[in-house]
Amino acid sequence: MTENDELLLLRALLRASDYGVLLSDASRRDRLCNRRFCEMFELESVDVLQAQPEYVRLHLAARLKDPAGFLETLDFVYADPVRVLEDEVELISPKRRLLRRYTAPVTDQQGNIVGRLWTFLDITRTRSTEDKVRAQAVQLKEQSRQLASALKIVTGRLDKVENTLTLTQQQLFETEKLSAVGLLAASVAHDIRNILTPLTIELTLADQNDPAARAESLDAMRRQVDSLSLLTHRLLALAKPDTLERVPTDVCALVTRITALVQAQAALENVVIAYAAPRCLPLVPADPIQLDQVLVNLVLNAIQAMRATNGGTLTLTLDQHAGGLRLRVADTGPGIPLPLRKRLFDPFFTTRPDGAGLGLFSCRRIVQAHGGTIQVRSTPSRGTQFAVWLPIAAAL
Ligand SMILES: Nc1ncnc2c1ncn2[C@@H]1O[C@H](COP(=O)(O)OP(=O)(O)OP(=O)(O)O)[C@@H](O)[C@H]1O
Ligand SMILES: [Mg+2]
């Protein structure tokens, strides 16, 4: 490449460059600049080349944000011919721009410093993009900080909700446990009262009976006292779930015993008791004390119902039916209206002023615990019948 070719190439490069280029000689006189430089600072290239030594720097300073700083830097740079410097200057005219400035000495082939090169690059757009990215990064950081603290608050609240839920659950559990215990306690108290009522009657009648009847009456009373003591044990054992003490039970004997027990009360209420059972019936695996409660409840209900009809007949029937033993308790009372029939077994459902509404509820509980069923049939003004069915083979 000839020297002329090099010059051509250099000139083409200078013309095409994005850099504004200025070349000054060793005596600080500006000698050469490219088109981009002139555009940046609103200069004609002739101005640069023919200008007085101070002209270009003053022209430039007038267009910069910090003219004094600019002139100081020039003195600083020219004070040391080998100094290299790179910094930024802010242009305010003709437009607000940010320029990256670079300066370094120019040497000839022998290495002698013959002048100084200045370049200026417009970095406004790059910087604003950088600034935007930086601002976005700051914003993102702030947002993530806010999110993190919001998350912390939400987590805290969730923890509180969870704690409250656990507490509520425990309280609910306690309440349910308590109400179940309360229910059982009431049911046992009710059973006790059902034993006490005939017992009191037996006691009043005991005086008037002949010696044989009195002995029988005392026997009945002893059995009821036994039942009472067993019930007390049940009451004390309320914390435990209901357990059945199943033994082979002669239901026929049980019915006879209860019939005898309520006989006196039935007589007072003008109720005649009829009892029918086949001679030979199988034993049933059952808890006799609990079955006692079922029968007492059903029989007392029937007698109480027949007050409305000034007495009547209470028919007890025992037979074998569908693989089990069926006990039917029928009265000739007023019957139960259909809407009430659905609620009979609900706890605390009663139509009697002195009733607790727990008799049928505990009847069903006991029968179901034996794997049996209890059903009601009633015809208004013709009476009611409760049928209890108990399996002969013990349910697993
Ligand atoms: N044989 C019956 N004839 C008519 N109504 C009956 C009969 N048996 C039960 N009932 C009705 O069912 C209701 C509930 O009976 P349940 O034995 O559960 O409670 P209670 O007899 O009212 O009170 P207690 O808890 O003292 O037994 C009774 O109040 C009554 O209205
Ligand atoms: Mg009752």
Side-chain angles (χ1 to χ4, degrees):
M1 191 186 277
T2 64
E3 212 168 299
N4 194 38
D5 288 341
E6 276 183 359
L7 265 174
L8 281 172
L9 180 68
L10 205 60
R11 203 170 287 152
L13 267 175
L14 276 175
R15 208 172 299 136
S17 179
D18 263 349
Y19 286 81
V21 180
L22 173 73
L23 198 66
S24 56
D25 60 20
S27 58
R28 290 181 69 169
R29 192 181 178 93
D30 299 317
R31 304 303 296 260
L32 183 77
C33 68
N34 69 349
R35 194 166 39 192
R36 184 76 188 106
F37 180 83
C38 295
E39 281 166 10
M40 272 178 184
F41 299 104
E42 293 182 301
L43 276 165
E44 291 290 335
S45 58
V46 261
D47 297 343
V48 181
L49 303 177
Q50 291 169 7
Q52 296 299 311
E54 295 296 314
Y55 177 76
V56 174
R57 71 197 57 172
L58 291 175
H59 180 89
L60 259 58
R63 279 157 178 74
L64 294 174
K65 192 179 173 189
D66 178 16
F70 173 74
L71 294 172
E72 254 172 50
T73 318
L74 288 189
D75 291 340
F76 170 73
V77 168
Y78 280 111
D80 180 1
V82 295
R83 197 180 308 273
V84 176
L85 177 115
E86 186 167 8
D87 64 355
E88 284 169 11
V89 288
E90 229 184 303
L91 195 66
I92 49 170
S93 168
K95 270 192 200 162
R96 189 172 284 276
R97 321 286 317 164
L98 188 67
L99 307 177
R100 176 166 302 134
R101 175 174 62 176
Y102 171 78
T103 182
V106 177
T107 52
D108 64 11
Q109 277 166 347
Q110 287 75 43
N112 303 315
I113 293 174
V114 290
R116 181 165 280 280
L117 172 78
W118 295 88
T119 64
F120 296 87
L121 179 67
D122 188 338
I123 55 164
T124 318
R125 191 173 293 167
T126 332
R127 177 52 54 85
S128 77
T129 313
E130 275 174 18
D131 284 352
K132 266 186 211 154
V133 171
R134 209 168 296 134
Q136 273 171 1
V138 171
Q139 212 177 335
L140 272 176
K141 207 170 163 190
E142 174 61 18
Q143 277 173 357
S144 62
R145 199 190 56 76
Q146 283 174 359
L147 267 178
S149 62
L151 212 67
K152 211 170 157 190
I153 295 172
V154 171
T155 317
R157 283 198 194 136
L158 270 180
D159 281 352
K160 265 189 204 156
V161 169
E162 204 185 333
N163 286 346
T164 318
L165 270 180
T166 317
L167 206 74
T168 316
Q169 212 174 14
Q170 276 168 3
Q171 283 170 349
L172 211 70
F173 181 70
E174 288 302 318
T175 319
E176 269 178 16
K177 214 165 75 180
L178 274 179
S179 70
V181 169
L183 217 59
L184 269 172
S187 137
V188 173
H190 163 267
D191 289 345
I192 292 174
R193 195 154 53 78
N194 274 353
I195 295 171
L196 279 178
T197 314
L199 189 63
T200 321
I201 294 166
E202 286 286 351
L203 269 174
T204 32
L205 294 179
D207 281 348
Q208 302 156 18
N209 287 346
D210 61 71
R214 193 182 301 160
E216 201 181 303
S217 197
L218 276 173
D219 220 29
M221 283 190 276
R222 197 168 301 119
R223 277 197 302 274
Q224 293 313 306
V225 172
D226 286 351
S227 299
L228 265 181
S229 108
L230 279 168
L231 271 174
T232 319
H233 280 98
R234 269 183 65 207
L235 192 59
L236 289 172
L238 269 183
K240 288 194 223 153
D242 279 16
T243 45
L244 289 179
E245 305 254 334
R246 289 199 208 206
V247 291
T249 305
D250 180 355
V251 183
C252 194
L254 187 142
V255 177
T256 312
R257 198 168 70 234
I258 300 299
T259 316
L261 185 71
V262 295
Q263 195 65 57
Q265 194 179 352
L268 281 179
E269 303 282 355
N270 221 9
V271 170
V272 178
I273 299 180
Y275 175 37
R279 201 165 289 170
C280 188
L281 279 172
L283 300 181
V284 172
D287 185 328
I289 294 176
Q290 299 212 17
L291 276 196
D292 265 5
Q293 303 309 314
V294 174
L295 194 54
V296 167
N297 278 324
L298 294 179
V299 167
L300 285 182
N301 275 355
I303 295 174
Q304 284 154 359
M306 283 186 280
R307 275 180 199 158
T309 48
N310 291 318
T313 308
L314 169 63
T315 311
L316 295 163
T317 323
L318 197 57
D319 62 358
Q320 223 171 317
H321 176 81
L325 218 65
R326 181 173 58 177
L327 168 68
R328 283 173 287 177
V329 180
D331 62 61
T332 52
I336 307 167
L338 190 62
L340 301 191
R341 245 176 275 169
K342 290 180 198 144
R343 300 167 53 202
L344 288 183
F345 298 98
D346 290 352
F348 307 113
F349 171 73
T350 181
T351 57
R352 294 194 297 109
D354 59 341
L358 284 167
L360 289 177
F361 168 72
S362 67
C363 279
R364 190 168 64 172
R365 210 162 43 91
I366 294 169
V367 170
Q368 283 178 345
H370 281 84
T373 57
I374 181 164
Q375 282 168 344
V376 59
R377 270 213 231 141
S378 187
T379 317
S381 70
R382 299 216 7 223
T384 303
Q385 176 193 280
F386 283 89
V388 172
W389 178 89
L390 296 169
I392 293 169
L396 289 176

